[in-house]
Amino acid sequence: MSNERASEFGFAPPHDEPVPYLQRIATYYQALGYGAPYEWAHYAEVPFHPLTKPLSGCRVALITTAAPFRAGAGDQGPGAPYNAKAKFYAVYSGDTSIDHDLRISHVAIDRQHTTAEDPATYFPLAELRRSAASGRIGSLAPRFHGAPTNRSHRATLEVDAPEIVARCKADAVDAAILVPNCPVCHQTASLVARLLEDSGIASVVMGCAKDIVERVGVPRLLFSDFPLGNAAGRPKDAASQAFTLELALRTLETAPGSRITVQSPLRWSSNPDWKLDYCNIERLGPEEIRHRRAEFDRAKAQAKQLREELDP
């Protein structure tokens, strides 16, 4: 339909739809010269474990892909470039009764349209505390858990996800909220969510990469059509963050079966053009493509060195 007709009827622009991360990423890395595309996890069957009691009586765990700040690991602050030195490779846990300094410089968020300046947009611990204090949830689990952003399906399925499930079981958790950041984070969180459901723990993924989560196959997804790194709400917008968590809790309560996606009505901007930029090879010239290939190779080398140092 012509732009004139679209304007007449009030239609949205054709690109004002969820970003097609799977297609973009495949085309992007092939253009950088990496050959066969990455094989994303994909399941036909999806486990589903309904809540067995009201949410006001449930203990809820928070699972994140954010990384603890490590002094000496380079720039990890707001607006930092991708920093492979800040990665972590083993499940970690933290006390939910105290504040933590978690960052997301180690993953491929949308750095062109967000800065990660507000941790509440990717780590809704404070908002979950408020939900517990108000009685919306029965209690917050004593620990939150960090899931490594691992491209290895085997490592996630055989090592990381079982470890997270074991820790949630040890804390007598009834339900879990998983908040991923980058594309691979969304796959990791989805695989963990599936194992939690198989283990009798209801789960909801709060994410921004709809196509990746739905391809893996999860019981419940709260989708926010925001740039990667903002799955828990807009930066410096407490109302947005509270509303987003409430939608996730409602999704957890009311989903009648697996593969339920609820889309938040919140919009990042009245202008949807930000959706055209992430990993869009059509917007990059030859020199920029060469530069990005070099940067990616450098980051891979840094990550490999860190992994060898942590697990010699």
Side-chain angles (χ1 to χ4, degrees):
M1 179 173 284
S2 69
N3 289 336
E4 181 179 346
R5 295 280 282 173
S7 177
E8 176 186 356
F9 293 122
F11 292 166
H15 61 274
D16 193 2
E17 59 186 6
V19 177
Y21 290 104
L22 292 168
Q23 176 268 318
R24 289 265 189 90
I25 291 168
T27 303
Y28 178 80
Y29 285 105
Q30 283 184 306
L32 263 59
Y34 288 107
Y38 177 70
E39 183 177 345
W40 297 86
H42 176 53
Y43 292 92
E45 301 298 325
V46 178
F48 180 75
H49 182 78
L51 289 176
T52 57
K53 53 187 172 182
L55 197 54
S56 59
C58 291
R59 173 171 284 186
V60 179
L62 173 60
I63 297 166
T64 181
T65 59
F69 173 77
R70 292 204 318 272
D75 188 0
Q76 299 156 70
Y82 177 73
N83 183 357
K85 292 181 179 179
K87 284 181 175 292
F88 65 99
Y89 292 96
V91 173
Y92 73 91
S93 298
D95 184 346
T96 57
S97 68
I98 61 176
D99 294 333
H100 297 265
D101 187 2
L102 301 188
R103 312 288 180 95
I104 53 175
S105 64
H106 67 298
V107 291
I109 60 168
D110 187 343
R111 287 177 167 78
Q112 189 167 344
H113 298 286
T114 195
T115 64
E117 63 177 325
D118 181 5
T121 65
Y122 56 83
F123 184 58
L125 177 59
E127 196 58 48
L128 273 168
R129 284 189 196 133
R130 283 187 279 271
S131 293
S134 70
R136 181 67 176 92
I137 62 174
S139 64
L140 182 58
R143 300 181 292 176
F144 70 88
H145 309 294
T149 303
N150 208 319
R151 288 182 175 82
S152 166
H153 304 127
R154 186 178 302 277
T156 298
L157 290 168
E158 296 184 359
V159 180
D160 300 333
E163 179 62 26
I164 290 172
V165 170
R167 296 187 191 196
C168 286
K169 288 283 192 180
D171 290 342
V173 165
D174 300 297
I177 294 176
L178 302 95
V179 190
N181 294 291
C182 75
V184 179
C185 291
H186 281 75
Q187 175 179 257
T188 296
S190 299
L191 293 174
V192 174
R194 292 176 57 87
L195 197 59
L196 286 165
E197 297 281 336
D198 272 335
S199 303
I201 297 173
S203 67
V204 59
V205 175
M206 297 171 65
C208 297
K210 181 174 183 283
D211 59 338
I212 294 174
V213 176
E214 290 184 339
R215 178 172 178 79
V216 176
V218 300
R220 308 167 192 82
L221 165 63
L222 173 65
F223 168 59
S224 292
D225 199 5
F226 289 173
L228 296 174
N230 299 278
R234 295 194 194 96
K236 305 297 184 182
D237 185 343
S240 164
Q241 294 161 11
F243 179 77
T244 302
L245 180 61
E246 175 58 25
L247 278 185
L249 296 177
R250 290 186 191 181
T251 303
L252 192 55
E253 288 176 310
T254 62
S258 63
R259 288 195 182 278
I260 297 301
T261 296
V262 173
Q263 179 165 341
S264 170
L266 300 180
R267 290 176 60 81
W268 181 256
S269 167
S270 59
N271 183 348
D273 288 356
W274 64 268
K275 300 181 183 186
L276 295 171
D277 291 323
Y278 189 88
C279 280
N280 192 343
I281 205 69
E282 295 178 1
R283 295 197 154 202
L284 303 176
E287 184 58 36
E288 178 63 19
I289 291 173
R290 284 192 292 271
H291 171 72
R292 294 199 180 195
R293 169 66 191 245
E295 286 294 301
F296 189 75
D297 286 344
R298 181 179 64 82
K300 283 200 303 181
Q302 290 177 336
K304 180 180 179 181
Q305 179 182 356
L306 176 61
R307 190 182 299 112
E308 291 171 347
E309 290 172 353
L310 295 174
D311 186 20

